[in-house]
């Protein structure tokens, strides 16, 4: 197994005797590791480790060679010679403070930018997950082979089927949850996960205290038990050693603590508690895709073998339950890849951009050295006349370059530290794995490697050119001929490289700027100016569907009466946020179609005030009104995208549509379309508007909503008043 060509070339940094004795063995060992690397990220880590091993090993070998005097350089061999070079280099740079300052500042900016961005790339993309054998942890989802849609959630029977038939896979299902925690100070909405069983086993972990959730907990009307995070145990419960058996109140219901997770575990996405799923197949079985799935693949199982086994299980489900699993295929992907998929390309592009900035900086400093070399021809001529060989002169000049690089690297680390702080402040909340960003050991090793590379990049060409000049040219005879032409050619090549790199950066920046302009110019379909919102989830144990709707009606009226608020309204989910549920739409004025062929439509339960609070324009018909209750005619309001998709060339007003979805009121009546509103971006800015149906929440019965308030002009906020109203209610 041969090592890559770049690695074999890198081995030339070693002294010749060492390379002849050990080079083939080192290359073969690296080639074996390279062939066994499981993916691009693993190879990237291996490449950095291998490059650092070669560079550091080569420095050590050359130092030993210099100490023993084997290199044969005259005039200051061994460590005394290196010390002499450093002293001479420091004096030489001190005599030209302007040149030294310009070179150090230029290098500091390039090195600092690279170190700062690499610290993010390493923490987000290259750092292994903090679990045993993290490469064996995968995320699973369903794809629709008919329409090509990917990444669908899975249902509870899927998870149970995998657990029962795939011994090579340990799998657990989970779904995010945001209950209200009471009894530990002020009421607080916290992030939890409802899980099936065996979540800690998937990650190769054991509880710090107690036990994990089991399959006996995930049964209808099963025990209300949960596992708490180590951080929650320490910060909220004081690290109580007798915590097992204590009760937490979540959304008005008591949940008993049966375990404490190991320190640092917070999957998925910062979860503080893990509640037993207590799933009921009745009403949410095959086809009720409300869960995510994560699994651990047994050692020795290849990706192809696991995919074949998953295909066999899915084929069996499609045969037994065709309406739910027809045209489905289960696939999987490493957990790390799914966590960083949204930022992976952007971070690599950003790192490539700052590498080009560093190359430009090196070209600038190399040009400065070439200009300065004309001032040093007399000095070099004198040293050649005294017998200094070319190798000795090159070493002296490279030592000066190394001093500049080290100084630039030291200042660059300060620039990088500031850059990391700025990056963390400006990073979006959705950016994954930012907890490990910083100037840690790996980043410092990278910085040292950059310093050594920079030394060669900007110092080698000027050193070789100056040390390789014939003595007659240095003394003046050929100074205006061959030396001048070579110097001009070197500077022209460096300048051409700078211009090319700068043009690439400018073109990339221009494309990025154009993309950002398009995104900023995108009509989102709503007006977020002077809008505040908060999420409220009423506990089912205290509020049935009628009580929750009465609570939300009163809350909306009292918020609208505030002087700080023009209008308030509520809806399930939020544009460009969470809570985008969808279903198949059945058009009752058409012939029935296969359920699998029904067009998908986003369903958003809303209150009468939501349209005004969000600034969504009404195009035709009417909006949801206060009289649209459960005992009145069921209605729906659709957006323009739904009208164009479902009723092309026809008037949808008055048509009836059946949305196969229910909530508090367990019915799915036919709904009359009474209005058309403008489109809003549901998931992100770059995706096209999705067909959406707004239904009166008073006819659906959702107790978990976002309350949206449009502030009066000049009002700074309405949240303190809203908190006071909620407390009084």
């Amino acid at each position: 197994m041969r090592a890559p060509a770049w690695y074999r070339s890198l081995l030339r940094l070693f002294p010749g005797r060492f390379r002849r004795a050990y080079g083939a063995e080192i290359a073969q060992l690296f080639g074996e590791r390279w062939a066994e690397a499981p993916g691009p990220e693993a190879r990237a880590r291996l490449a950095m480790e291998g490059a650092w091993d070669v560079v550091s090993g080569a420095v050590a070998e050359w130092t030993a060679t210099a100490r023993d005097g084997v290199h044969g350089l005259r005039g200051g061999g061994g460590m005394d010679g290196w010390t002499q070079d450093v002293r001479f280099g420091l004096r030489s740079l001190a005599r030209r403070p302007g040149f030294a300052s310009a070179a150090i500042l230029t290098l500091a900016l390039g090195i600092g930018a690279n170190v700062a961005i690499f610290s993010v790339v390493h923490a987000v993309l290259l750092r292994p997950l903090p679990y045993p054998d993290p490469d064996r942890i995968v995320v699973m989802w369903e794809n629709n082979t008919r329409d090509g849609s990917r990444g669908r959630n899975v249902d509870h029977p899927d998870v149970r089927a995998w657990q029962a038939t795939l011994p090579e896979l340990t799998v657990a299902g989970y779904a995010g949850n945001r209950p209200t925690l009471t009894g530990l100070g002020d009421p607080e909405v916290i992030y939890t996960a409802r899980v099936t069983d065996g979540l800690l086993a998937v990650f190769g972990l054991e509880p710090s205290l107690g036990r994990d959730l089991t399959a006996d907990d995930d049964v209808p009307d099963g025990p209300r038990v949960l596992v708490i995070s180590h951080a929650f145990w320490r910060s909220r419960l004081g690290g109580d050693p007798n915590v097992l058996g204590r009760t937490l109140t979540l959304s008005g219901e008591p949940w008993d603590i049966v375990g404490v997770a190991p320190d640092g575990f917070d999957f998925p996405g910062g979860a503080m508690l893990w509640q037993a799923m207590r799933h009921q197949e009745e009403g949410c079985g095959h086809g009720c895709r409300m869960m995510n799935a994560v699994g651990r693949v047994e050692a020795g199982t290849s990706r192809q073998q696991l995919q074949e086994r998953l295909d066999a299980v899915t084929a069996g489900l499609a045969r037994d339950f065709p309406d739910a699993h027809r045209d489905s295929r289960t696939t999987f992907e490493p957990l790390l890849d799914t966590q960083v998929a949204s930022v992976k390309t952007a971070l690599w592009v950003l790192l490539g951009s700052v590498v080009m900035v560093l190359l430009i900086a090196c070209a600038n400093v190399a040009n400065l050295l070439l200009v300065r070399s004309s001032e040093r021809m007399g000095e070099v001529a004198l040293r050649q006349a005294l017998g200094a060989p070319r190798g000795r002169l090159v070493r002296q000049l490279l030592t000066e370059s190394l001093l500049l690089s080290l100084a630039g690297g030291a200042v660059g680390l300060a620039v990088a530290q500031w850059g990391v702080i700025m990056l963390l402040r400006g990073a979006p909340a959705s950016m994954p794995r930012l907890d490990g960003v910083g100037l840690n050991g790996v980043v410092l090793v990278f910085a040292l490697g950059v310093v050594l590379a920079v030394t060669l990049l900007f110092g080698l060409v000027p050193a070789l050119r100056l040390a390789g000049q014939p003595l007659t040219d240095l003394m003046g005879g050929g100074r205006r001929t061959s030396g001048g032409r070579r110097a001009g050619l070197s500077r022209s090549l460096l300048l051409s490289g700078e211009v090319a790199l700068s043009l690439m950066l400018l073109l990339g920046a221009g494309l990025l700027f154009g993309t950002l302009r398009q995104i900023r110019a995108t009509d989102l379909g709503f007006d977020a100016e002077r809008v505040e919102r908060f999420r409220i989830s009423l506990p089912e144990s205290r509020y049935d569907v009628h009580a929750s709707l009465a609570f939300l009606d009163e809350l909306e009226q009292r918020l609208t009466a505030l002087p700080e608020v023009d209008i308030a309204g509520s809806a399930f989910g939020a544009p460009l946020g969470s809570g985008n549920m969808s279903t198949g739409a059945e058009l009752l004025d058409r012939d029935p179609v296969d359920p699998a062929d029904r067009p998908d439509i986003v369903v958003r339960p809303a209150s009468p005030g939501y349209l005004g609070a969000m600034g969504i324009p009404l195009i035709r018909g009417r909006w949801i009104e206060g009289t649209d209750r459960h005992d009145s005619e069921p209605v729906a309001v659709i957006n323009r995208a739904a009208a164009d998709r479902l009723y092309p060339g026809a008037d949808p007003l008055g048509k009836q549509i059946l949305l196969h979805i229910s909530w508090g009121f367990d019915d799915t009546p036919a709904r009359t379309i009474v209005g058309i509103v403008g489109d809003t971006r549901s998931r992100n800015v770059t995706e096209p508007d999705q067909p959406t149906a707004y239904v009166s929440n008073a006819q659906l019965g959702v107790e978990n909503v976002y309350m949206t308030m449009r502030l009066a002009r000049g009002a700074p906020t309405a949240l303190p008043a809203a908190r006071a109203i909620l407390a009084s209610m």
Side-chain angles (χ1 to χ4, degrees):
M1 296 180 182
R2 290 172 56 82
W6 63 264
Y7 186 81
R8 298 197 303 273
S9 299
L10 202 60
L11 292 178
R12 295 181 178 275
L13 294 175
F14 283 107
R17 291 182 59 186
F18 181 92
R19 191 169 62 252
R20 287 189 292 272
Y22 305 106
E25 185 178 348
I26 294 174
Q28 181 180 356
L29 179 61
F30 185 84
E32 292 174 355
R33 295 179 63 194
W34 185 264
E36 294 173 356
E41 286 75 14
R43 286 196 169 185
R45 289 194 294 270
L46 182 60
M48 287 187 296
E49 294 171 0
W52 168 246
D53 289 342
V54 171
V55 171
S56 59
V59 170
E61 289 300 323
W62 277 112
T63 301
T65 302
R67 184 186 303 114
D68 298 336
V70 178
H71 49 51
L73 292 178
R74 292 173 291 169
M79 293 306 295
D80 291 340
W82 287 103
T83 304
Q84 181 183 7
D85 288 345
V86 171
R87 290 174 178 171
F88 185 85
L90 290 173
R91 288 197 300 269
S92 176
L93 294 175
R95 287 196 296 268
R96 297 289 187 274
F99 160 77
S101 299
I104 290 172
L105 181 59
T106 301
L107 293 175
L109 293 175
I111 293 174
N114 275 266
V115 172
I117 299 302
F118 176 77
S119 69
V120 179
V121 170
H122 172 261
V124 176
L125 302 182
L126 303 179
R127 181 170 53 107
L129 294 171
Y131 313 117
D133 301 319
D135 292 339
R136 289 163 46 198
I137 303 175
V138 297
V139 174
M140 306 162 68
W141 57 74
E142 285 191 0
N143 301 328
N144 190 305
T145 58
R146 179 175 53 85
D147 61 16
S149 60
R150 293 174 49 83
R152 296 194 304 181
N153 289 353
V154 302
D155 57 39
H156 194 268
D158 282 336
V159 176
R160 289 296 179 224
W162 298 330
Q163 290 176 334
T165 59
L166 299 177
E168 61 271 67
L169 183 70
T170 303
V171 63
Y174 66 92
N177 191 31
R178 292 185 180 273
T180 301
L181 172 68
T182 55
L184 293 177
D186 293 334
E188 176 186 3
V189 176
I190 64 172
Y191 182 57
T192 73
R194 302 291 290 267
V195 300
T196 55
D197 56 277
L199 183 66
L200 291 180
V202 168
F203 289 87
L205 303 174
E206 294 289 340
S208 296
L209 291 175
R211 65 173 178 88
D212 195 3
L213 299 175
T214 67
D216 293 335
D217 301 320
D218 181 25
V219 294
D221 301 320
R224 289 193 178 93
V225 293
L226 53 77
V227 174
I228 63 176
S229 70
H230 200 277
F232 184 90
W233 176 50
R234 288 290 188 187
S235 63
R236 305 300 296 273
L237 302 178
D240 180 10
N242 300 314
V243 69
L244 301 181
R246 284 186 59 172
T247 299
L248 298 179
T249 302
L250 300 176
S251 296
E253 297 175 337
W255 290 76
D256 296 331
I257 300 172
V258 297
V260 178
D263 191 12
F265 182 73
D266 63 353
F267 182 87
M272 303 172 69
L273 311 172
W274 295 270
Q275 303 168 262
M277 181 72 71
R278 305 174 71 241
H279 188 79
Q280 298 193 32
E281 296 289 345
E282 184 179 354
C284 191
H286 289 278
C288 182
R289 297 180 174 89
M290 301 287 288
M291 302 172 60
N292 300 283
V294 61
R296 171 177 288 271
V297 183
E298 290 298 317
T301 303
S302 68
R303 293 179 62 92
Q304 181 179 355
Q305 289 172 333
L306 179 58
Q307 187 61 64
E308 290 174 354
R309 294 296 307 277
L310 286 171
D311 289 343
V313 175
T314 304
L317 291 172
R319 183 176 56 254
D320 297 336
F321 306 95
D323 289 344
H325 298 283
R326 184 174 47 196
D327 302 320
S328 292
R329 189 186 190 213
T330 303
T331 57
F332 61 93
E333 189 173 346
L335 175 61
L336 179 58
D337 291 351
T338 63
Q339 290 184 341
V340 303
S342 61
V343 299
K344 184 177 181 179
T345 301
L347 286 180
W348 283 121
V349 169
L350 189 57
L351 183 60
S353 299
V354 295
V355 167
M356 283 194 278
V357 171
L358 180 61
L359 292 175
I360 293 173
C362 291
N364 273 294
V365 176
N367 264 320
L368 291 175
L369 287 173
L370 285 172
V371 172
R372 185 169 178 255
S373 65
S374 62
E375 305 174 5
R376 305 188 64 179
M377 287 186 174
E379 168 202 331
V380 173
L382 179 60
R383 298 181 67 182
Q384 279 195 16
L386 293 175
R390 185 186 184 193
R392 182 69 177 80
L393 293 174
V394 171
R395 194 184 76 182
Q396 169 61 56
L397 296 171
L398 280 179
T399 300
E400 295 181 22
S401 299
L402 179 61
L403 292 174
L404 284 175
S405 297
L406 289 173
V411 179
L413 286 178
V415 174
Q417 181 63 41
W418 174 83
V420 167
I421 294 173
M422 293 298 103
L423 287 170
L424 291 177
R425 286 181 180 176
S430 59
M431 187 81 167
R433 312 190 73 208
L434 288 179
D435 56 298
V437 176
L439 302 187
N440 52 37
V442 175
V443 175
L444 293 178
V445 169
F446 173 81
L448 181 58
V450 170
V451 167
L452 295 176
V454 162
T455 302
L456 295 175
L457 284 172
F458 78 81
L460 190 59
V461 171
L464 292 175
R465 195 194 69 80
L466 185 58
Q469 293 270 18
L471 184 59
T472 55
D473 288 354
L474 293 170
M475 297 301 291
R479 186 169 179 176
R480 290 181 298 274
T481 58
S482 62
R485 285 194 298 271
R486 283 195 293 268
L489 179 60
S490 299
R491 288 195 295 270
S492 297
L493 290 175
L494 288 170
L495 182 59
S496 300
E498 286 185 74
V499 171
L501 290 170
S502 299
L503 283 175
M504 290 177 64
L505 283 175
L506 284 172
L507 288 173
L511 292 172
L512 177 62
F513 180 71
T515 301
L516 291 176
R517 283 185 58 189
Q518 291 179 4
I519 291 176
R520 289 184 61 85
T522 300
D523 183 10
L524 301 179
F526 57 88
D527 180 14
E529 200 71 28
R530 297 187 294 116
V531 168
E532 290 183 331
R533 73 181 182 209
F534 59 90
R535 185 169 180 166
I536 180 169
S537 179
L538 298 174
E540 296 179 7
S541 60
R542 294 172 53 194
Y543 294 89
D544 62 15
V545 59
H546 299 284
S548 66
L549 291 175
F551 184 99
L552 294 175
D553 285 343
E554 182 183 352
L555 176 60
E556 187 171 322
Q557 293 170 10
R558 294 178 64 171
L559 291 174
T560 303
L562 290 173
E564 300 97 329
V565 176
D566 276 346
I567 188 171
S570 64
F572 176 79
L576 302 181
S578 61
N580 293 293
M581 61 179 175
S582 61
T583 186
E586 186 175 351
L587 311 181
L588 299 186
D589 64 324
R590 314 282 175 82
D591 293 333
V593 298
D594 191 290
D597 295 326
R598 292 170 183 165
D600 286 337
I601 188 169
V602 174
V603 180
R604 199 176 297 284
S607 73
Y610 182 73
L611 181 77
M614 287 297 297
I616 300 173
L618 178 65
I619 298 175
R620 292 180 55 204
R622 69 171 178 89
W623 177 243
I624 295 167
E625 297 176 351
T627 56
D628 295 323
R629 314 296 295 184
H630 187 247
D631 55 359
S632 63
E633 180 188 12
V635 297
V637 176
I638 63 175
N639 67 348
R640 193 198 305 269
D644 294 341
R645 169 79 185 281
L646 305 181
Y647 302 95
D651 184 5
L653 295 183
K655 299 287 197 308
Q656 287 198 315
I657 186 172
L658 188 58
L659 305 173
H660 292 270
I661 194 165
S662 63
W663 206 279
F665 295 113
D666 190 15
D667 52 11
T668 55
R671 301 180 183 276
T672 301
I673 299 174
V674 296
I676 304 174
V677 298
D679 295 332
T680 62
R681 297 297 170 108
S682 298
R683 300 187 184 277
N684 58 60
V685 178
T686 58
E687 286 188 5
D689 301 320
Q690 293 181 298
T692 302
Y694 298 88
V695 299
S696 172
N697 193 28
Q699 296 180 340
L700 199 63
V702 177
E703 78 290 343
N704 179 356
V705 298
Y706 279 98
M707 186 64 68
T708 304
M709 304 176 292
R710 177 166 294 277
L711 302 182
R713 294 194 178 276
T717 180
L719 290 178
R723 289 192 183 96
I725 291 175
L726 276 173
S728 68
M729 293 178 64

